[in-house]
Amino acid sequence: MSQQKILVIALLQRGVVSPAVYELLTAGRSLANVLKQPLAAYLPGGTAEQAKELVERGADRVLWSGHAALKDFNDELHAQAVLAAAAQEQPSWVLIPGSVAGRSLACRVAVKLGAGLATDINEIDPASGAVKRSHYSGNLQATMEFKSPVRVVTVQAMVFPQAPAQAGRAGEVTELAYAPAAAGTEFISFQAEEAGEIDLGGAERIVSGGRGVGGADGFKAIRDLAHALGAAVAASRAAVDSGWIPYRHQVGLTGRTVRPKLYVACGISGQVQHLAGMSSAANIVAINTDPECPMMQQATYLVVGDMFELLPLIVAEIKKRRGQPVAA
Ligand SMILES: Cc1cc2nc3c(=O)[nH]c(=O)nc-3n(C[C@H](O)[C@H](O)[C@H](O)COP(=O)(O)OP(=O)(O)OC[C@H]3O[C@@H](n4cnc5c(N)ncnc54)[C@H](O)[C@@H]3O)c2cc1C
């Protein structure tokens, strides 16, 4: 049998390598170093150029399949392709992004490999092979051990830092032939988000609104500040459940996990389920009429007051400092 490897599955998002893959390369490197196994990556639907970038970001060898059938995510076809890569690489660990596509892929792959599966993990102990995952909004960390020789995991986004590119780093890049078999499902189309919207996942700055926004119209003040800061717009579940903003903006336990440099929480009380999605932001600004609300305890900067009075003043100040015209 060939030497076992740590295998990272490099999923694409609209043709671009998902930033989560670079995080997996960091997690995979710690396993590879301790287990003394090469760090391999498989890139379904990618290009030789993208494969080279994975080498520069730490993979020792990269297999890629550029077949058109793998350009858009399809559970069955991607699982088939990943299994072919696994047959070649003989992985001890398979690391998959913790996205919707990644989770769907992981269960198919684990079943076919007869491997144990742990989803949404946020910690790996390379020496013992134990992994951790949080429950109850991060109040409980469960430790899981595998009984199977092959371990499949999906990794929570933004927990591991992205592996940096080291220009000129050497590694093996090989094309893996792929012939799609018949699949029961078919990719039809991709519905893009509203034009000009910044995706929450990779956003460095986020302005977020909660029940205190008071209605769909109230989000104009949030969008104005987001626009001035070049930030993405987010929301609490209370705002989403009220129908003021679509679900894709929801941050928290049942929404997105974000890790921006700046998170401005406007009219959000800071319940544990919301904090579960944003508490690792580097700087939190809480703007709230209630100085005692839990968000104030999390915040780096506390602003007590009415967001509808404060946000226009902040936007005006940003514009003034940039020398932009300020509405009278
Ligand atoms: C299983 C489960 C999963 C959940 N998942 C999520 C999740 O993913 N994300 C999430 O967010 N929640 C989630 N929740 C809901 C969560 O428990 C809270 O109900 C929710 O986060 C509250 O949202 P909020 O802070 O916007 O509203 P509230 O708690 O009602 O807070 C509104 C805040 O606005 C302030 N305010 C009011 N007017 C103004 C004003 N003019 N200016 C400034 N401040 C003002 C108030 O002082 C208050 O602090 C979940 C709950 C459960 C049970």
Side-chain angles (χ1 to χ4, degrees):
M1 193 173 96
S2 63
Q3 187 192 9
Q4 285 201 298
K5 299 177 187 72
I6 310 301
L7 181 61
V8 165
I9 305 304
L11 293 180
L12 302 176
Q13 281 176 338
R14 311 301 306 148
V16 176
V17 175
S18 158
V21 170
Y22 307 143
E23 297 165 19
L24 296 189
L25 288 172
T26 299
R29 173 50 62 198
S30 63
L31 282 166
N33 287 350
V34 171
L35 300 177
K36 309 220 177 317
Q37 294 179 5
L39 178 59
Y42 175 53
L43 179 65
T47 63
E49 276 311 304
Q50 289 171 324
K52 278 185 208 139
E53 193 192 341
L54 296 180
V55 167
E56 290 190 343
R57 288 188 185 257
D60 298 315
R61 44 188 276 121
V62 180
L63 300 178
W64 63 281
S65 305
H67 198 287
L70 297 172
K71 294 287 176 208
D72 293 296
F73 184 75
N74 177 303
D75 304 65
E76 290 170 79
L77 300 183
H78 273 68
Q80 223 177 65
V82 167
L83 289 168
Q88 182 153 326
E89 297 302 283
Q90 296 296 315
S92 56
W93 288 77
V94 181
L95 276 57
I96 300 179
S99 57
V100 174
R103 279 195 287 268
S104 174
L105 177 66
C107 50
R108 284 174 186 269
V109 168
V111 167
K112 294 282 188 190
L113 291 177
L117 168 65
T119 56
D120 269 332
I121 64 153
N122 54 30
E123 211 177 304
I124 303 179
D125 178 359
S128 70
V131 296
K132 290 190 177 173
R133 132 180 214 172
S134 65
H135 294 269
Y136 302 110
S137 314
N139 288 322
L140 188 150
Q141 275 277 89
T143 303
M144 290 167 287
E145 287 173 2
F146 289 88
K147 291 185 171 171
S148 57
V150 182
R151 297 144 190 211
V152 176
V153 293
T154 64
V155 180
Q156 201 185 326
M158 304 204 191
V159 171
F160 293 94
Q162 293 184 13
Q166 303 158 52
R169 186 175 179 279
E172 240 179 276
V173 171
T174 313
E175 185 169 7
L176 183 66
Y178 171 76
T185 54
E186 185 190 352
F187 175 84
I188 304 286
S189 70
F190 175 78
Q191 196 78 38
E193 291 193 345
E194 285 164 34
E197 233 176 52
I198 298 171
D199 180 46
L200 270 185
E204 292 204 337
R205 291 179 287 271
I206 293 175
V207 182
S208 191
R211 205 194 307 270
V213 170
D217 292 345
F219 267 91
K220 182 180 178 308
I222 300 285
R223 288 200 180 90
D224 286 349
L225 178 59
H227 189 246
L229 291 171
V233 172
S236 73
R237 180 164 163 179
V240 170
D241 283 355
S242 302
W244 302 342
I245 186 163
Y247 168 73
R248 63 174 179 277
H249 294 273
Q250 184 176 318
V251 163
L253 184 64
T254 45
R256 305 282 294 271
T257 301
V258 295
R259 202 183 196 177
K261 289 187 180 153
L262 174 68
Y263 190 90
V264 186
C266 309
I268 300 178
S269 60
Q271 302 306 310
V272 280
Q273 294 89 353
H274 188 80
L275 300 179
M278 46 65 69
S279 58
S280 36
N283 293 287
I284 298 170
V285 178
I287 301 179
N288 203 301
T289 45
D290 177 6
E292 307 293 332
C293 73
M295 188 60 87
M296 291 294 184
Q297 267 130 54
Q298 293 287 320
T300 329
Y301 301 98
L302 293 66
V303 185
V304 179
D306 184 338
M307 56 165 276
F308 292 106
E309 287 173 18
L310 292 167
L311 297 195
L313 297 176
I314 298 170
V315 171
E317 185 62 27
I318 292 170
K319 287 187 175 169
K320 201 171 93 187
R321 290 189 187 198
R322 286 188 185 147
Q324 294 168 339
V326 180

